[in-house]
Every structure is written in structure tokens, then in C-alpha cells.
Amino acid sequence: MSIGHTLLGLLESGPRHGYDLKRAFDEKFGHDRPLHYGQVYATMSRLLKNGLVEVDGVETDGGPERKRYAITDAGITDVAAWLAQPEKPEPYLQSTLYTKVVLALLTGRDAADLLDAQRSEHLRLMRILTDRKRQGDLADQLICDHALFHLEADLRWLELTSARLGRLAEVVAP
Amino acid sequence: MTPAGSLLEAHDLRKTYGPTPALDGASFSVHPGEVVAVMGPSGSGKSTLLHCLAGIITPDSGTVTYGGRELSAMSDAERSALRRSDFGFVFQFGQLVPELTCVENVALPLRLNGVKRKQAERTALEWMERLEVEDLAAQRPGEVSGGQGQRVAVARALAPSPKVVFADEPTGALDSLNGERVMELLTESARTAGTAVVLVTHEARVAAYADRDVVVRDGRSRDPEYAV
Ligand SMILES: Nc1ncnc2c1ncn2[C@@H]1O[C@H](COP(=O)(O)OP(=O)(O)OP(=O)(O)O)[C@@H](O)[C@H]1O
Ligand SMILES: [Mg+2]
């Protein structure tokens, strides 16, 4: 995910301090991985250098100085361009799972066991996410669903591959 | 050794139709209040296993034990009585009685268990509320959508407070959103009521609503609950 674009987008509703930005980000997008202050600080200096944000005021009430950032017109254009640009679909052609299956077949190990173990692990995670979804709000549900659909796609591949192991063995280990 | 404290368990089931074995050494167990998903490829024997567990068909060999009693030792009449009193069923297509209204459909298993009409329909309505279909009480199954009909079917399965609900692809005919909602309502209601659920599905996202899963391949299943 582009942290820069996300922080910029959060600034569109009005100027904020770095700390505010981090909090808004963590609350909306940070579920498992809250931002470090260092990340916010580094990102904001880059955006500042590129003219996408400007400093809207500095406070120094006793403690360290706190900058308030505002988005610039160039920043708004940048957010719009990012949102309009489709993401590149990730084809996962370099799958570790595929490599493991082929290697198991090449070395005479049990590829079916490997697939079964992976299947259990995927389903275990899917149960955890489903449980979280059940207890969460709509935002949690959407995030969990995204992960669940991807895990399901992996699982379908695991099923299909285990049904084709015999043929795959003939091809890779003649 | 059999799994301790299980409500329903099957050991080494075999069932052959003509030359093809549908079950070839399948084992299974479910505890009270537990939701277990039965997964596996098409034709692997999932439905056959479910039908054996529910006493709908008799395996050629192996044992099915419910609450400590072996199903094969019961008479046909005893098995039907058990199915009526202790089991509930949901199938891929609701299988509601088209001539009855939805509330009459939900009340039907209660009526068959001897509950008076008024009381049966009152209980039926409570379950329809829980499944969010109380507005459909007076409609006939032909007049409701697939997703709504499936919720009515879930209400019908749960209304008599069964000990076990058997569900064979209960979301098979539904889109993701309706399928998920039916699973949410089914598992939530079952957990609240302490009902065990045997859930046959080939969809991982549906199986993820269960507490654990048992995989059937070529008529064989290994239930990890069985210590060999
Ligand atoms: N009544 C029957 N008569 C003859 N063969 C049957 C009968 N019921 C099942 N079979 C066979 O037994 C095997 C297992 O069938 P079963 O219906 O249990 O599979 P399943 O796992 O439920 O498949 P699906 O996911 O397609 O529903 C299949 O080969 C099937 O053709
Ligand atoms: Mg089936």
C-alpha cells in the first residue's frame, strides 16, 4: 500500500498534525500494522519536499515542536491520479507452494502430505478471520473478506493440485 | 479409541453402490454444540457419510453411534422417531412443502412431534424472527427467493431444538452475500442452542464458519479426534 498517498488522502478533509495523521491511519487502515512515528515523519518530509503538502503552522507548547500539515493543489491532483490508476493484478507466478510441491516430487517425498498440511493451515487462518469478521464492524468485515477470498483462491489451487499430483509427478520426475 | 464425550460418531463406515465404493473406511465424530465441516471433492462420499450419520441409509459395515446407542441396532421405526425428535435437516434446495405457508413449514416438524398447532406456530415464528424472515410467514415457498427459502429451511431445522443439524451444501444455491448470512445465522443459532452441526460443503469460506473440518477423499475420511 502507498502510505504517502493514503496520508495525503487523509489530509484532504483538513490540515492535521503528524500525530493525528498516524492515529487516523491506524484506526482506518492499520489493523494489524500500525505506523511507526518514524514512517510518518519520513513520509511527510518527502511529501513536503515534493510540494504535495505544506506546513500550515508550528506549535511549541513546551514540548517538541509539532508541525501542522495541509495538502496542496498538487497533492490533491496526486491523490486523484493514484485513485484513478488501476492496481496491477498480482499473478503470483513465483509461488513458493508450487516450488515446494515440485521439489517434493523430485526428491521422492510425499507431496500429498505437504498439500494437506498447507490446506489445514489455510483453513485454520480462514476460521480465525471468519471469527473476527463475525465480531467486527463493516470495515473489519471487508478487510477480512478480502483476505478470505485470497486464501480461498489458494485453497482451490491446493485442491486442484492434489487432484493432479499423479500427472504432475510424471511430468516433473520422469 | 473413540473420541471422548462425542455425541455422534462413526467408525470405519463402508458403503458400496454396485461396483463403486461410496464410503471406504470413513470415521467421524461431533461433540454437543460443535460445528464440524465435511469437505472433499465431488463424488468423494460426503453426502453418503451424512446420510449414514443421520440413519437415512444403513452402511454395509462399520458403526454409527448416537448418544451411546448404535443406530444399526434400532428398528426402522426407532430410527425414524430419533430423526424426528433429535435431528434437523437442511439441504441445498430448501425442500419446503410448496402447499404450506412458510410458518406452517417451520411448524411442521414440531407438529409431527405432537406439539399443538398454536404453540407450534408460535415457536416457528420465534425462529423465523431469529433468521430474519418473520415477514414471510404467510407466503408460500414458491413466492420467496432462494436465500429467503434457505433461511426458512434453517428455521425449520432448528425450531424443534434438535441435538444435531445435518446440512448438505446449505448455501450451494446462494450467492456469497446470502450464503454468508445463512451460515452466520445457522452457526450462531446452533451455538446459542448448543446444537451440533454436521455441515457438508466444498466451499472453504463456508467451512470456515465451523469449529473444525474433516476431509473425505475417495470414500475415506480420517477424523483427527480418533486416536489410532
Ligand atoms: N443412490 C446412489 N446410487 C448409486 N451410486 C451412488 C448413490 N449415491 C451416491 N452414489 C455414488 O457414491 C459416490 C459418492 O457419492 P456422494 O453423493 O456421497 O458424493 P459427494 O461427496 O456428496 O459429492 P458432491 O460434492 O458432488 O455432492 C459417487 O461415486 C456416487 O456416484
Ligand atoms: Mg453431495
Side-chain angles (χ1 to χ4, degrees):
Chain A
M1 173 168 42
S2 166
I3 294 171
H5 287 116
T6 312
L7 293 180
L8 265 184
L10 287 172
L11 281 177
E12 276 205 36
S13 58
R16 292 173 189 257
H17 293 290
Y19 176 76
D20 262 3
L21 270 175
K22 173 194 150 43
R23 234 186 15 204
F25 181 97
D26 288 350
E27 188 195 306
K28 291 205 166 53
F29 311 111
H31 288 264
D32 289 327
R33 281 175 298 176
L35 286 182
H36 300 297
Y37 287 106
Q39 273 174 297
V40 180
Y41 180 77
T43 307
M44 293 321 287
S45 1
R46 179 169 56 77
L47 296 176
L48 202 56
K49 207 177 79 196
N50 294 340
L52 303 177
V53 299
E54 59 198 12
V55 174
D56 182 59
V58 183
E59 279 167 31
T60 47
D61 40 289
E65 66 173 31
R66 298 165 68 218
K67 283 183 185 144
R68 231 160 75 109
Y69 298 98
I71 191 166
T72 62
D73 287 345
I76 293 173
T77 309
D78 201 52
V79 173
W82 182 59
L83 292 180
Q85 175 71 41
E87 292 296 310
K88 192 164 175 280
E90 291 182 48
Y92 301 110
L93 284 177
Q94 298 293 328
S95 162
T96 312
L97 287 179
Y98 173 76
T99 309
K100 279 190 167 182
V101 170
V102 171
L103 209 61
L105 291 173
L106 280 173
T107 56
R109 291 183 169 89
D110 195 332
D113 271 3
L114 182 162
L115 288 168
D116 261 358
Q118 190 63 53
R119 193 192 157 282
S120 292
E121 191 56 21
H122 265 64
L123 205 56
R124 195 179 66 80
L125 180 55
M126 288 181 76
R127 278 194 290 266
I128 293 171
L129 289 168
T130 301
D131 202 45
R132 198 164 121 188
K133 189 168 91 169
R134 200 161 24 206
Q135 290 161 20
D137 57 14
L138 184 59
D140 284 321
Q141 287 170 19
L142 288 174
I143 287 173
C144 291
D145 271 333
H146 188 262
L148 280 164
F149 278 110
H150 278 267
L151 289 167
E152 184 188 35
D154 279 352
L155 253 172
R156 289 168 76 162
W157 181 84
L158 290 168
E159 286 289 338
L160 204 66
T161 304
S162 76
R164 289 170 168 172
L165 268 185
R167 273 171 58 206
L168 184 62
E170 287 168 21
V171 176
V172 301
Chain B
M1 216 189 83
T2 56
S6 69
L7 175 64
L8 174 67
E9 60 193 57
H11 185 60
D12 202 20
L13 297 183
R14 286 164 207 278
K15 175 79 188 175
T16 303
Y17 292 109
T20 40
L23 289 181
D24 191 17
S27 296
F28 181 87
S29 71
V30 62
H31 293 258
E34 188 185 31
V35 182
V36 179
V38 178
M39 301 187 70
S42 186
S44 59
K46 302 181 296 294
S47 296
T48 308
L49 173 62
L50 181 134
H51 292 149
C52 287
L53 291 170
I56 295 170
I57 58 174
T58 309
D60 300 337
S61 70
T63 54
V64 178
T65 315
Y66 172 73
R69 295 177 68 198
E70 216 180 285
L71 292 194
S72 63
M74 298 180 188
S75 68
D76 283 352
E78 282 176 314
R79 265 197 304 273
S80 315
L82 177 72
R83 278 202 300 274
R84 270 206 310 273
S85 61
D86 284 33
F87 296 168
F89 295 89
V90 187
F91 296 102
Q92 180 168 0
F93 301 100
Q95 301 197 338
L96 301 169
V97 182
E99 294 82 10
L100 301 180
T101 64
C102 286
V103 72
E104 285 165 350
N105 264 284
V106 178
L108 188 59
L110 292 159
R111 300 276 291 136
L112 291 174
N113 281 336
V115 179
K116 294 253 179 348
R117 183 192 190 90
K118 252 186 140 161
Q119 176 59 43
E121 294 199 354
R122 201 158 49 224
T123 307
L125 258 181
E126 279 166 26
W127 279 98
M128 291 183 78
E129 265 167 46
R130 238 169 274 186
L131 274 297
E132 302 166 348
V133 283
E134 71 272 23
D135 293 348
L136 306 175
Q139 316 268 85
R140 283 176 213 286
E143 301 164 343
V144 306
S145 77
Q148 292 167 336
Q150 214 50 349
R151 291 185 196 196
V152 174
V154 171
R156 182 184 57 179
L158 290 167
S161 304
K163 299 280 191 298
V164 189
V165 166
F166 295 93
D168 196 345
E169 301 283 3
T171 62
L174 307 179
D175 65 16
S176 319
L177 198 61
N178 271 291
E180 300 254 340
R181 191 71 190 130
V182 165
M183 281 315 299
E184 241 170 66
L185 294 168
L186 171 61
T187 51
E188 192 184 292
S189 310
R191 285 193 174 106
T192 310
T195 305
V197 179
V198 180
L199 166 71
V200 167
T201 182
H202 63 269
E203 280 183 88
R205 268 178 317 109
V206 172
Y209 280 89
D211 299 310
R212 61 187 178 92
D213 69 295
V214 168
V215 184
V216 184
R217 281 188 216 285
D218 302 325
R220 278 185 294 274
S221 72
R222 221 176 45 80
D223 187 333
E225 289 268 306
Y226 272 90
V228 188

